[in-house]
Amino acid sequence: MVKNMHRYRTHNCAQLRKEDVGSTVKISGWIHSVRDHGGVIFIDLRDHFGITQVVIDPQQDFYQELERWRVETVACFTGEVVARIEETVNNRLATGEIEVAATEMEILGEANVLPFQVAKEEQTPEHMRLKYRFLDLRRERLHNNILLRSQVIAEIRAKMTNMGFQEFQTPILAASSPEGARDYLVPSRLHPGKFYALPQAPQQFKQLLMVAGFDRYFQIAPCFRDEDARADRSPGEFYQLDVEMSFATQDDVFASMEDLLTHVVKKFSDKKMDEAPFVRIPYREAMFKYGSDKPDLRNPLQMIDVTAAFDGSDFKAFAGVVKKGGVVRAIKVPNVADRPRKFYDDMIKFAQENGAKGMAYIIWKDGEVKSPIAKFMSDDALALCKKTGNVEDGDAMFFLADKEKTVMNIGGHVIPELGKRCDLISNDEFKFCWIVDFPMFEFDEEAGKVEFSHNPFSMPQGGMDDLINKDPLDILAWQYDIVCNGIELSSGAIRNHRPEIMYKAFEIAGYDASVVDDKFGGMINAFKHGAPPHGGIAPGVDRLVMLIADEPNIREVIAFPFNQQAQDLMMNAPSEVGLKQLEELHIEVVLPPEEEDEDSEEQNA
RNA sequence: GGGGGCGUAGCUCAAUUGGUUAGAGUCCCAGACUGUCGAUCUGGUUGUUGCGGGUUCGAGUCCCGUCGCUCCCGCCA
């Protein structure tokens, strides 16, 4: 027994080098792989830091004791560091020049047979990975992602602090807020029939901190929204870098975030990135060109208006749309004239699946025009399309005709799909942009009235003057998004800190002052006691890490994510609770009625 | 709530046009082997083909329903 050694290790599994040859060491870790040659056994011992090869000579006592070496068992080895002979050096390991010749061994944690392999990259069903998340997290890919996440967050904290922001905590048990997503509710024991809500974001708290005079706030804030999942949206909870600044203009917020994002992305990614300031695109222009308020600027495709070319055209389908006040928009795609007919048919099918009645196309090839619709078009109309789109030989143009809103929506799907199918989207750069000038209000077709289009706490750009004198639908807000590669990283706004403007804005949306006082009493009251102009933003941390890690799915950067049905398959949440707990909370469970299966009843009879 | 895709051994996959006893790799078990590093070699176990119906002489394969996972729409101030 070697004396005066640490209980578990003198070195981690990535530390030992040629210089350590001759010293006696102790290392602990997981058995990554075993190569049993009968007379000699090689074990790759793995920990968080790396891998070291342990060699076991058959003359050791423990060699006989051991019935089997199962991978992922945690073991501790004591032994001498020896140099590998030249032919057996492993250049793929940092510790590949040495190995540890074991003299003692202790099993610290036995492993059962694994449901999937840790050491080998193999496809594994997501529900298995989620149930055995602790195993999945040992695998290199996920382990590195979570480590990256930790480092990104540490860097964000350092940078934000360096930029003069203070970090705060805000309540997790908060009040339900009427607008926005569905809340997660927590019943109150002390107040029967009343509920807390988990915050969808610390929105009002951070504004109150500005009213409290703290000047610059940030928080790596957990946010809870009971909404359905997407690839870039984990259900349940997610994290925002929540930011708020006093006496700040939109330009001040942009400058801070550009500084932060440039710093963090460049530190952790080799991908190309635009220098600040990032391009700014007004909301209406983004919708017109890309059919989306989160355009992927790596994709060069855009929509252009060619309504004039079809006004009174012999192509009745489009001419009819124009006559009824609709529009025709075109997407020029370069160098696709040689693509087979199937490419065009498939794109039309795709457009139809996304709500298009149809999609026309024209191909310019070898000085000729090839198209099912060309024969209905005049030379002038063809020339107009060609000129508007800067079409060159070998290009094609796709056409969508409908109500403007419908066309923009379909184009918003067709453009990314064309970009993908034509391989126009490079994967080695980040394209950031700000979407600015969001409308303050929009007309809600369902409710038949004017509603806030985004965030009721945003300041209208023209202040009270706009609210009084402009058509509500023409009022723009100091409201912005930041988008990277087609992913919305964040929304933000310069806030409405003036009570009279707040009351007026809500009045336009059909709510009288009592609604504001009732639902946002805490904040509106604060604004009546001296509130500084302020604004902020809240980039999604999970999405940012996802972009930097180049992962297609947000669950790959979350240690313990829910599945799509908002379940934790490892910890078994949500779960039923005891009757006593329910009684204390004054809660009675009323399950939805079981649907009677008439067929099975008949079969039983 | 709606639409698409997938579902065969613990895991990854195969199985001709509907045709005999559902195969291979990996994992696991046993054995051999003193220099491997995805060790190798020999042998072996593993199945309600997600579940329930139906069509058929015969269903992993076709049809209907259902469940699970996933992607999308709705939803996400």
Side-chain angles (χ1 to χ4, degrees), chain A residues 289-316:
Chain A
K289 284 185 176 173
Y290 309 103
S292 169
D293 60 0
K294 43 181 181 177
D296 186 346
L297 295 187
R298 295 173 303 172
N299 185 344
L301 303 182
Q302 297 183 1
M303 277 185 280
I304 52 172
D305 186 78
V306 291
T307 307
F310 291 89
D311 191 5
S313 150
D314 287 339
F315 187 40
K316 298 298 178 199

PDB file of all heavy atoms in Angstrom, chain A residues 289-316:
ATOM      1  N   LYS A 289     -39.668  41.110 -48.338  1.00  0.00           N
ATOM      2  CA  LYS A 289     -38.569  40.429 -49.039  1.00  0.00           C
ATOM      3  C   LYS A 289     -38.465  38.942 -48.709  1.00  0.00           C
ATOM      4  O   LYS A 289     -38.161  38.131 -49.574  1.00  0.00           O
ATOM      5  CB  LYS A 289     -37.233  41.072 -48.659  1.00  0.00           C
ATOM      6  CG  LYS A 289     -36.957  42.398 -49.327  1.00  0.00           C
ATOM      7  CD  LYS A 289     -35.544  42.830 -48.950  1.00  0.00           C
ATOM      8  CE  LYS A 289     -35.151  44.111 -49.667  1.00  0.00           C
ATOM      9  NZ  LYS A 289     -33.847  44.601 -49.161  1.00  0.00           N
ATOM     10  N   TYR A 290     -38.663  38.621 -47.433  1.00  0.00           N
ATOM     11  CA  TYR A 290     -38.392  37.246 -46.994  1.00  0.00           C
ATOM     12  C   TYR A 290     -39.644  36.512 -46.531  1.00  0.00           C
ATOM     13  O   TYR A 290     -39.595  35.312 -46.270  1.00  0.00           O
ATOM     14  CB  TYR A 290     -37.373  37.251 -45.853  1.00  0.00           C
ATOM     15  CG  TYR A 290     -36.141  38.046 -46.176  1.00  0.00           C
ATOM     16  CD1 TYR A 290     -35.949  39.328 -45.647  1.00  0.00           C
ATOM     17  CD2 TYR A 290     -35.173  37.534 -47.032  1.00  0.00           C
ATOM     18  CE1 TYR A 290     -34.823  40.068 -45.948  1.00  0.00           C
ATOM     19  CE2 TYR A 290     -34.042  38.264 -47.344  1.00  0.00           C
ATOM     20  CZ  TYR A 290     -33.879  39.541 -46.802  1.00  0.00           C
ATOM     21  OH  TYR A 290     -32.763  40.267 -47.111  1.00  0.00           O
ATOM     22  N   GLY A 291     -40.741  37.224 -46.389  1.00  0.00           N
ATOM     23  CA  GLY A 291     -41.964  36.598 -45.892  1.00  0.00           C
ATOM     24  C   GLY A 291     -41.823  36.143 -44.455  1.00  0.00           C
ATOM     25  O   GLY A 291     -42.530  35.244 -44.009  1.00  0.00           O
ATOM     26  N   SER A 292     -40.889  36.731 -43.746  1.00  0.00           N
ATOM     27  CA  SER A 292     -40.606  36.276 -42.393  1.00  0.00           C
ATOM     28  C   SER A 292     -39.985  37.411 -41.602  1.00  0.00           C
ATOM     29  O   SER A 292     -39.269  38.245 -42.155  1.00  0.00           O
ATOM     30  CB  SER A 292     -39.631  35.090 -42.443  1.00  0.00           C
ATOM     31  OG  SER A 292     -39.142  34.797 -41.152  1.00  0.00           O
ATOM     32  N   ASP A 293     -40.241  37.434 -40.290  1.00  0.00           N
ATOM     33  CA  ASP A 293     -39.565  38.414 -39.455  1.00  0.00           C
ATOM     34  C   ASP A 293     -38.327  37.798 -38.799  1.00  0.00           C
ATOM     35  O   ASP A 293     -37.757  38.357 -37.874  1.00  0.00           O
ATOM     36  CB  ASP A 293     -40.515  39.013 -38.410  1.00  0.00           C
ATOM     37  CG  ASP A 293     -41.085  37.976 -37.473  1.00  0.00           C
ATOM     38  OD1 ASP A 293     -40.750  36.788 -37.628  1.00  0.00           O
ATOM     39  OD2 ASP A 293     -41.863  38.342 -36.580  1.00  0.00           O
ATOM     40  N   LYS A 294     -37.945  36.605 -39.275  1.00  0.00           N
ATOM     41  CA  LYS A 294     -36.665  36.024 -38.840  1.00  0.00           C
ATOM     42  C   LYS A 294     -35.930  35.439 -40.048  1.00  0.00           C
ATOM     43  O   LYS A 294     -35.725  34.226 -40.133  1.00  0.00           O
ATOM     44  CB  LYS A 294     -36.857  34.994 -37.733  1.00  0.00           C
ATOM     45  CG  LYS A 294     -38.006  34.054 -37.937  1.00  0.00           C
ATOM     46  CD  LYS A 294     -38.121  33.095 -36.758  1.00  0.00           C
ATOM     47  CE  LYS A 294     -39.262  32.126 -36.990  1.00  0.00           C
ATOM     48  NZ  LYS A 294     -39.380  31.131 -35.928  1.00  0.00           N
ATOM     49  N   PRO A 295     -35.549  36.312 -40.981  1.00  0.00           N
ATOM     50  CA  PRO A 295     -34.923  35.829 -42.208  1.00  0.00           C
ATOM     51  C   PRO A 295     -33.524  35.263 -41.966  1.00  0.00           C
ATOM     52  O   PRO A 295     -32.806  35.734 -41.086  1.00  0.00           O
ATOM     53  CB  PRO A 295     -34.825  37.097 -43.066  1.00  0.00           C
ATOM     54  CG  PRO A 295     -34.772  38.215 -42.087  1.00  0.00           C
ATOM     55  CD  PRO A 295     -35.632  37.778 -40.938  1.00  0.00           C
ATOM     56  N   ASP A 296     -33.199  34.254 -42.749  1.00  0.00           N
ATOM     57  CA  ASP A 296     -31.858  33.689 -42.721  1.00  0.00           C
ATOM     58  C   ASP A 296     -31.050  34.395 -43.805  1.00  0.00           C
ATOM     59  O   ASP A 296     -31.184  34.100 -44.990  1.00  0.00           O
ATOM     60  CB  ASP A 296     -31.935  32.180 -42.999  1.00  0.00           C
ATOM     61  CG  ASP A 296     -30.571  31.507 -42.842  1.00  0.00           C
ATOM     62  OD1 ASP A 296     -29.553  32.234 -42.781  1.00  0.00           O
ATOM     63  OD2 ASP A 296     -30.545  30.270 -42.774  1.00  0.00           O
ATOM     64  N   LEU A 297     -30.230  35.337 -43.413  1.00  0.00           N
ATOM     65  CA  LEU A 297     -29.529  36.164 -44.400  1.00  0.00           C
ATOM     66  C   LEU A 297     -28.388  35.437 -45.101  1.00  0.00           C
ATOM     67  O   LEU A 297     -27.764  35.979 -46.020  1.00  0.00           O
ATOM     68  CB  LEU A 297     -29.016  37.450 -43.752  1.00  0.00           C
ATOM     69  CG  LEU A 297     -30.103  38.419 -43.252  1.00  0.00           C
ATOM     70  CD1 LEU A 297     -29.479  39.717 -42.789  1.00  0.00           C
ATOM     71  CD2 LEU A 297     -31.162  38.691 -44.318  1.00  0.00           C
ATOM     72  N   ARG A 298     -28.107  34.207 -44.688  1.00  0.00           N
ATOM     73  CA  ARG A 298     -27.147  33.407 -45.465  1.00  0.00           C
ATOM     74  C   ARG A 298     -27.765  33.040 -46.811  1.00  0.00           C
ATOM     75  O   ARG A 298     -27.068  32.741 -47.771  1.00  0.00           O
ATOM     76  CB  ARG A 298     -26.798  32.115 -44.701  1.00  0.00           C
ATOM     77  CG  ARG A 298     -26.059  32.347 -43.398  1.00  0.00           C
ATOM     78  CD  ARG A 298     -25.908  31.060 -42.629  1.00  0.00           C
ATOM     79  NE  ARG A 298     -27.216  30.436 -42.358  1.00  0.00           N
ATOM     80  CZ  ARG A 298     -27.376  29.234 -41.837  1.00  0.00           C
ATOM     81  NH1 ARG A 298     -26.321  28.505 -41.512  1.00  0.00           N
ATOM     82  NH2 ARG A 298     -28.582  28.739 -41.618  1.00  0.00           N
ATOM     83  N   ASN A 299     -29.079  33.022 -46.835  1.00  0.00           N
ATOM     84  CA  ASN A 299     -29.826  32.664 -48.041  1.00  0.00           C
ATOM     85  C   ASN A 299     -30.044  33.918 -48.890  1.00  0.00           C
ATOM     86  O   ASN A 299     -30.669  34.865 -48.439  1.00  0.00           O
ATOM     87  CB  ASN A 299     -31.168  32.065 -47.605  1.00  0.00           C
ATOM     88  CG  ASN A 299     -31.980  31.541 -48.778  1.00  0.00           C
ATOM     89  OD1 ASN A 299     -31.709  31.859 -49.931  1.00  0.00           O
ATOM     90  ND2 ASN A 299     -32.992  30.752 -48.466  1.00  0.00           N
ATOM     91  N   PRO A 300     -29.531  33.948 -50.120  1.00  0.00           N
ATOM     92  CA  PRO A 300     -29.617  35.160 -50.941  1.00  0.00           C
ATOM     93  C   PRO A 300     -30.994  35.385 -51.575  1.00  0.00           C
ATOM     94  O   PRO A 300     -31.234  36.450 -52.143  1.00  0.00           O
ATOM     95  CB  PRO A 300     -28.576  34.897 -52.035  1.00  0.00           C
ATOM     96  CG  PRO A 300     -28.537  33.417 -52.172  1.00  0.00           C
ATOM     97  CD  PRO A 300     -28.788  32.858 -50.793  1.00  0.00           C
ATOM     98  N   LEU A 301     -31.889  34.419 -51.488  1.00  0.00           N
ATOM     99  CA  LEU A 301     -33.171  34.532 -52.190  1.00  0.00           C
ATOM    100  C   LEU A 301     -34.097  35.544 -51.518  1.00  0.00           C
ATOM    101  O   LEU A 301     -34.156  35.634 -50.300  1.00  0.00           O
ATOM    102  CB  LEU A 301     -33.861  33.166 -52.254  1.00  0.00           C
ATOM    103  CG  LEU A 301     -33.067  32.048 -52.914  1.00  0.00           C
ATOM    104  CD1 LEU A 301     -33.884  30.765 -52.948  1.00  0.00           C
ATOM    105  CD2 LEU A 301     -32.617  32.442 -54.310  1.00  0.00           C
ATOM    106  N   GLN A 302     -34.829  36.298 -52.373  1.00  0.00           N
ATOM    107  CA  GLN A 302     -35.786  37.284 -51.880  1.00  0.00           C
ATOM    108  C   GLN A 302     -37.002  37.298 -52.793  1.00  0.00           C
ATOM    109  O   GLN A 302     -36.931  36.876 -53.931  1.00  0.00           O
ATOM    110  CB  GLN A 302     -35.183  38.698 -51.921  1.00  0.00           C
ATOM    111  CG  GLN A 302     -33.986  38.897 -51.057  1.00  0.00           C
ATOM    112  CD  GLN A 302     -33.496  40.335 -51.098  1.00  0.00           C
ATOM    113  OE1 GLN A 302     -34.073  41.182 -51.776  1.00  0.00           O
ATOM    114  NE2 GLN A 302     -32.429  40.592 -50.360  1.00  0.00           N
ATOM    115  N   MET A 303     -38.067  37.868 -52.258  1.00  0.00           N
ATOM    116  CA  MET A 303     -39.242  38.085 -53.109  1.00  0.00           C
ATOM    117  C   MET A 303     -39.190  39.487 -53.704  1.00  0.00           C
ATOM    118  O   MET A 303     -38.755  40.431 -53.041  1.00  0.00           O
ATOM    119  CB  MET A 303     -40.530  37.939 -52.295  1.00  0.00           C
ATOM    120  CG  MET A 303     -40.973  36.503 -52.125  1.00  0.00           C
ATOM    121  SD  MET A 303     -42.561  36.373 -51.284  1.00  0.00           S
ATOM    122  CE  MET A 303     -42.046  36.580 -49.585  1.00  0.00           C
ATOM    123  N   ILE A 304     -39.637  39.591 -54.952  1.00  0.00           N
ATOM    124  CA  ILE A 304     -39.790  40.907 -55.559  1.00  0.00           C
ATOM    125  C   ILE A 304     -41.205  41.013 -56.124  1.00  0.00           C
ATOM    126  O   ILE A 304     -41.844  40.002 -56.400  1.00  0.00           O
ATOM    127  CB  ILE A 304     -38.765  41.136 -56.702  1.00  0.00           C
ATOM    128  CG1 ILE A 304     -38.839  39.974 -57.698  1.00  0.00           C
ATOM    129  CG2 ILE A 304     -37.365  41.285 -56.136  1.00  0.00           C
ATOM    130  CD1 ILE A 304     -38.008  40.211 -58.935  1.00  0.00           C
ATOM    131  N   ASP A 305     -41.668  42.238 -56.243  1.00  0.00           N
ATOM    132  CA  ASP A 305     -43.040  42.428 -56.717  1.00  0.00           C
ATOM    133  C   ASP A 305     -43.075  42.496 -58.240  1.00  0.00           C
ATOM    134  O   ASP A 305     -42.341  43.266 -58.860  1.00  0.00           O
ATOM    135  CB  ASP A 305     -43.626  43.719 -56.140  1.00  0.00           C
ATOM    136  CG  ASP A 305     -45.093  43.828 -56.509  1.00  0.00           C
ATOM    137  OD1 ASP A 305     -45.902  43.153 -55.857  1.00  0.00           O
ATOM    138  OD2 ASP A 305     -45.416  44.555 -57.469  1.00  0.00           O
ATOM    139  N   VAL A 306     -43.924  41.650 -58.852  1.00  0.00           N
ATOM    140  CA  VAL A 306     -44.095  41.663 -60.314  1.00  0.00           C
ATOM    141  C   VAL A 306     -45.581  41.712 -60.659  1.00  0.00           C
ATOM    142  O   VAL A 306     -46.001  41.235 -61.713  1.00  0.00           O
ATOM    143  CB  VAL A 306     -43.431  40.429 -60.974  1.00  0.00           C
ATOM    144  CG1 VAL A 306     -41.917  40.519 -60.873  1.00  0.00           C
ATOM    145  CG2 VAL A 306     -43.927  39.131 -60.342  1.00  0.00           C
ATOM    146  N   THR A 307     -46.358  42.290 -59.730  1.00  0.00           N
ATOM    147  CA  THR A 307     -47.809  42.363 -59.934  1.00  0.00           C
ATOM    148  C   THR A 307     -48.129  43.003 -61.281  1.00  0.00           C
ATOM    149  O   THR A 307     -49.018  42.530 -62.008  1.00  0.00           O
ATOM    150  CB  THR A 307     -48.463  43.175 -58.801  1.00  0.00           C
ATOM    151  OG1 THR A 307     -48.049  42.621 -57.547  1.00  0.00           O
ATOM    152  CG2 THR A 307     -49.981  43.121 -58.900  1.00  0.00           C
ATOM    153  N   ALA A 308     -47.394  44.069 -61.635  1.00  0.00           N
ATOM    154  CA  ALA A 308     -47.682  44.811 -62.874  1.00  0.00           C
ATOM    155  C   ALA A 308     -47.612  43.911 -64.103  1.00  0.00           C
ATOM    156  O   ALA A 308     -48.368  44.080 -65.061  1.00  0.00           O
ATOM    157  CB  ALA A 308     -46.704  45.978 -63.006  1.00  0.00           C
ATOM    158  N   ALA A 309     -46.719  42.924 -64.078  1.00  0.00           N
ATOM    159  CA  ALA A 309     -46.532  42.063 -65.251  1.00  0.00           C
ATOM    160  C   ALA A 309     -47.741  41.157 -65.497  1.00  0.00           C
ATOM    161  O   ALA A 309     -47.892  40.608 -66.587  1.00  0.00           O
ATOM    162  CB  ALA A 309     -45.273  41.224 -65.088  1.00  0.00           C
ATOM    163  N   PHE A 310     -48.575  41.000 -64.479  1.00  0.00           N
ATOM    164  CA  PHE A 310     -49.713  40.092 -64.645  1.00  0.00           C
ATOM    165  C   PHE A 310     -51.054  40.822 -64.647  1.00  0.00           C
ATOM    166  O   PHE A 310     -52.096  40.201 -64.772  1.00  0.00           O
ATOM    167  CB  PHE A 310     -49.688  39.026 -63.539  1.00  0.00           C
ATOM    168  CG  PHE A 310     -48.553  38.064 -63.693  1.00  0.00           C
ATOM    169  CD1 PHE A 310     -47.320  38.317 -63.111  1.00  0.00           C
ATOM    170  CD2 PHE A 310     -48.708  36.912 -64.458  1.00  0.00           C
ATOM    171  CE1 PHE A 310     -46.267  37.437 -63.257  1.00  0.00           C
ATOM    172  CE2 PHE A 310     -47.657  36.022 -64.616  1.00  0.00           C
ATOM    173  CZ  PHE A 310     -46.430  36.288 -64.018  1.00  0.00           C
ATOM    174  N   ASP A 311     -51.001  42.140 -64.463  1.00  0.00           N
ATOM    175  CA  ASP A 311     -52.237  42.932 -64.460  1.00  0.00           C
ATOM    176  C   ASP A 311     -52.838  42.886 -65.855  1.00  0.00           C
ATOM    177  O   ASP A 311     -52.233  43.369 -66.818  1.00  0.00           O
ATOM    178  CB  ASP A 311     -51.908  44.374 -64.034  1.00  0.00           C
ATOM    179  CG  ASP A 311     -53.187  45.157 -63.749  1.00  0.00           C
ATOM    180  OD1 ASP A 311     -54.278  44.533 -63.795  1.00  0.00           O
ATOM    181  OD2 ASP A 311     -53.076  46.355 -63.484  1.00  0.00           O
ATOM    182  N   GLY A 312     -53.992  42.279 -66.003  1.00  0.00           N
ATOM    183  CA  GLY A 312     -54.648  42.164 -67.303  1.00  0.00           C
ATOM    184  C   GLY A 312     -54.016  41.127 -68.214  1.00  0.00           C
ATOM    185  O   GLY A 312     -54.277  41.088 -69.410  1.00  0.00           O
ATOM    186  N   SER A 313     -53.200  40.276 -67.660  1.00  0.00           N
ATOM    187  CA  SER A 313     -52.503  39.245 -68.441  1.00  0.00           C
ATOM    188  C   SER A 313     -53.475  38.171 -68.920  1.00  0.00           C
ATOM    189  O   SER A 313     -54.567  38.001 -68.368  1.00  0.00           O
ATOM    190  CB  SER A 313     -51.407  38.636 -67.559  1.00  0.00           C
ATOM    191  OG  SER A 313     -51.178  37.298 -67.905  1.00  0.00           O
ATOM    192  N   ASP A 314     -53.064  37.409 -69.942  1.00  0.00           N
ATOM    193  CA  ASP A 314     -53.882  36.291 -70.409  1.00  0.00           C
ATOM    194  C   ASP A 314     -53.787  35.100 -69.469  1.00  0.00           C
ATOM    195  O   ASP A 314     -54.504  34.112 -69.631  1.00  0.00           O
ATOM    196  CB  ASP A 314     -53.433  35.856 -71.813  1.00  0.00           C
ATOM    197  CG  ASP A 314     -53.880  36.885 -72.850  1.00  0.00           C
ATOM    198  OD1 ASP A 314     -54.825  37.644 -72.533  1.00  0.00           O
ATOM    199  OD2 ASP A 314     -53.282  36.925 -73.931  1.00  0.00           O
ATOM    200  N   PHE A 315     -52.834  35.161 -68.546  1.00  0.00           N
ATOM    201  CA  PHE A 315     -52.739  34.094 -67.549  1.00  0.00           C
ATOM    202  C   PHE A 315     -53.790  34.377 -66.489  1.00  0.00           C
ATOM    203  O   PHE A 315     -53.586  35.110 -65.536  1.00  0.00           O
ATOM    204  CB  PHE A 315     -51.324  34.058 -66.954  1.00  0.00           C
ATOM    205  CG  PHE A 315     -51.102  32.880 -66.029  1.00  0.00           C
ATOM    206  CD1 PHE A 315     -51.615  31.621 -66.318  1.00  0.00           C
ATOM    207  CD2 PHE A 315     -50.373  33.043 -64.853  1.00  0.00           C
ATOM    208  CE1 PHE A 315     -51.415  30.548 -65.468  1.00  0.00           C
ATOM    209  CE2 PHE A 315     -50.167  31.965 -63.996  1.00  0.00           C
ATOM    210  CZ  PHE A 315     -50.691  30.722 -64.302  1.00  0.00           C
ATOM    211  N   LYS A 316     -54.984  33.775 -66.718  1.00  0.00           N
ATOM    212  CA  LYS A 316     -56.177  34.194 -65.988  1.00  0.00           C
ATOM    213  C   LYS A 316     -56.054  33.992 -64.482  1.00  0.00           C
ATOM    214  O   LYS A 316     -56.574  34.782 -63.695  1.00  0.00           O
ATOM    215  CB  LYS A 316     -57.408  33.426 -66.510  1.00  0.00           C
ATOM    216  CG  LYS A 316     -57.702  33.703 -67.975  1.00  0.00           C
ATOM    217  CD  LYS A 316     -58.013  35.182 -68.201  1.00  0.00           C
ATOM    218  CE  LYS A 316     -58.253  35.460 -69.689  1.00  0.00           C
ATOM    219  NZ  LYS A 316     -58.105  36.874 -70.030  1.00  0.00           N
TER     220      LYS A 316
END
